[in-house]
Amino acid sequence: MLAVLAATTTPENLSTFSPASPSAESIKGLFILVLAIMGGILLLVEGILVYALVRSRRRANREDAEPPQVYGSKPIEIAWTVAPCIVVFVLVLLVGRVLWEVRPDPDTPPAGAKPLYVTVVGHQWWWEYRYDSYDGRELGITTANELHIPVSAPGQPQRPVYLNLQSADVCHSFWVPRLGGKTDLLPGRSNQMWLQANEPGLFLGQCAEYCGTQHANMLLRVVVESPEDFEKYLAAEAKPAIDPTDKLALADKNAFRSLSCVNCHTIRDKQDTRVNGTFGPDLTHLMARKTLAAGMIENTPENLRKWVFSPNAIKPGCLMAGFELNEKEMNSVIGYLKSLK
């Protein structure tokens, strides 16, 4: 938590004090207001305590003197009962207002808005994103670990992002500090939250609910881009995987299909529907992502080879098994995966 609060304003900033969305701004305002109220109470109580210590300290010429005692003072009892009630009542109103602001109804977006609806599924230990619809049109796109959303620029229609949060296994929690508060993903239940980014850029976060061995490495990457770039992203993700045409590339594809990878992963291919597993991330456009292993390492051919060969060496406890492949088989698998752009 101290690292979060001490974060700077770099692109990797995780500070809740640098909000980039309306909901995060509301949470920051609530935090500062509650901190001010609690600070005022602290100063008041400590001030009375210090005054009592100084006023009633033992004096050399009054060793046996006892300060005046107060018993059964109704005004004092009423004061210390009513004052906390007023403070709690004010805090309830403040929190209730912020909850209303950060959890709007996804069925009633603002007038003139162009909402994006995404289903987020938490897995041990990666994120699945299903783009359901955008601006009224159905999408049906599935990807993993990098969430792309459009920016809501001043003077343009709002582009709120409504997230339907689900879990495939245990409890997780979705938290991107600069874009909004934490919301849990619970098995057998759907929760909702929303994001609306006011500026483009990369926003980081991570799972905020302990979910197993690699909880700390279940990282979040939210890419906020212009509406035009977001449309290009959707168009690219909607395309099937590039089908190999030359003999060597086709051999690489066949080598990949012969492995058990196809039982867990999906690759959307017009000519081959056998690679349709749902346990692992969708690999259709794997090389378009910046990272591997849910944000742990950069997505390079060298790291990809290390990840395929021994994923537990990079992410101990992960549910992906390594493969004892000879050099030719490994080259074929990596060659095919590198073509998934």
Side-chain angles (χ1 to χ4, degrees):
M1 181 58 71
L2 292 177
V4 170
L5 296 180
T8 63
T9 55
T10 64
E12 293 77 24
N13 184 7
L14 295 175
S15 175
T16 55
F17 295 105
S18 300
S21 74
S23 57
E25 188 70 52
S26 297
I27 293 172
K28 174 190 173 183
L30 175 64
F31 179 88
I32 293 175
L33 188 54
V34 171
L35 185 64
I37 293 173
M38 296 299 102
I41 294 174
L42 176 65
L43 291 176
L44 176 62
V45 173
E46 293 301 318
I48 294 174
L49 178 61
V50 171
Y51 172 79
L53 290 173
V54 174
R55 179 73 174 78
S56 304
R57 73 187 186 281
R58 177 178 292 181
R59 295 179 174 83
N61 60 345
R62 297 179 58 189
E63 293 183 359
D64 299 326
E66 182 177 334
Q69 302 298 306
V70 178
Y71 298 96
S73 174
K74 287 186 178 180
I76 293 178
E77 292 179 0
I78 292 174
W80 70 42
T81 302
V82 172
C85 290
I86 293 175
V87 172
V88 171
F89 180 71
V90 171
L91 292 177
V92 168
L93 292 179
L94 293 174
V95 173
R97 184 192 68 180
V98 172
L99 284 176
W100 181 265
E101 292 174 350
V102 303
R103 298 190 183 279
D105 184 358
D107 296 327
T108 56
K114 297 184 176 182
L116 170 65
Y117 293 88
V118 181
T119 296
V120 180
V121 183
H123 299 259
Q124 289 179 304
W125 292 271
W126 59 280
W127 302 94
E128 179 182 359
Y129 300 115
R130 304 171 186 168
Y131 291 81
D132 300 317
S133 65
Y134 174 55
D135 193 19
R137 70 180 191 270
E138 297 297 320
L139 296 177
I141 297 171
T142 299
T143 184
N145 294 325
E146 288 185 8
L147 177 63
H148 288 244
I149 64 174
V151 67
S152 289
Q156 296 185 5
Q158 296 183 54
R159 289 177 167 83
V161 181
Y162 297 102
L163 304 180
N164 181 32
L165 305 175
Q166 302 175 2
S167 173
D169 35 55
V170 300
C171 294
H172 302 281
S173 190
F174 190 96
W175 187 33
V176 183
R178 297 187 63 200
L179 296 181
K182 294 180 282 188
T183 304
D184 289 345
L185 294 78
L186 306 175
R189 174 177 173 177
S190 293
N191 283 341
Q192 283 75 39
M193 69 176 296
W194 81 304
L195 308 173
Q196 181 175 299
N198 295 332
E199 58 186 69
L202 173 64
F203 297 89
L204 304 181
Q206 75 170 82
C207 177
E209 176 74 22
Y210 181 74
C211 54
T213 306
Q214 287 297 322
H215 158 70
N217 289 318
M218 189 173 173
L219 307 178
L220 278 161
R221 296 172 61 87
V222 179
V223 180
V224 181
E225 50 200 2
S226 68
E228 295 76 20
D229 288 340
F230 181 64
E231 290 286 0
K232 294 178 182 178
Y233 171 78
L234 292 180
E237 287 292 320
K239 296 178 181 178
I242 299 175
D243 192 56
T245 53
D246 64 85
K247 186 177 181 179
L248 179 60
L250 185 58
D252 290 345
K253 177 180 177 179
N254 290 332
F256 177 85
R257 290 188 306 175
S258 67
L259 299 174
S260 58
C261 305
V262 299
N263 296 326
C264 294
H265 295 283
T266 291
I267 296 178
R268 288 180 279 112
D269 188 333
K270 290 182 178 180
Q271 299 183 6
D272 188 355
T273 59
R274 286 177 290 176
V275 189
N276 57 1
T278 58
F279 188 75
D282 188 303
L283 301 179
T284 305
H285 298 288
L286 171 66
M287 298 310 293
R289 302 167 195 161
K290 299 297 183 181
T291 63
L292 298 169
M296 283 190 64
I297 56 176
E298 185 180 359
N299 188 2
T300 64
E302 295 77 14
N303 286 339
L304 180 60
R305 178 180 290 269
K306 295 176 183 177
W307 176 248
V308 172
F309 178 72
S310 182
N312 272 272
I314 296 173
K315 199 166 189 172
C318 75
L319 305 183
M320 176 177 166
F323 295 94
E324 296 182 0
L325 306 177
N326 58 43
E327 188 68 17
K328 180 180 178 181
E329 291 172 329
M330 180 62 75
N331 289 337
S332 294
V333 170
I334 299 304
Y336 177 61
L337 292 177
K338 285 166 56 179
S339 72
L340 302 177
K341 300 177 181 180

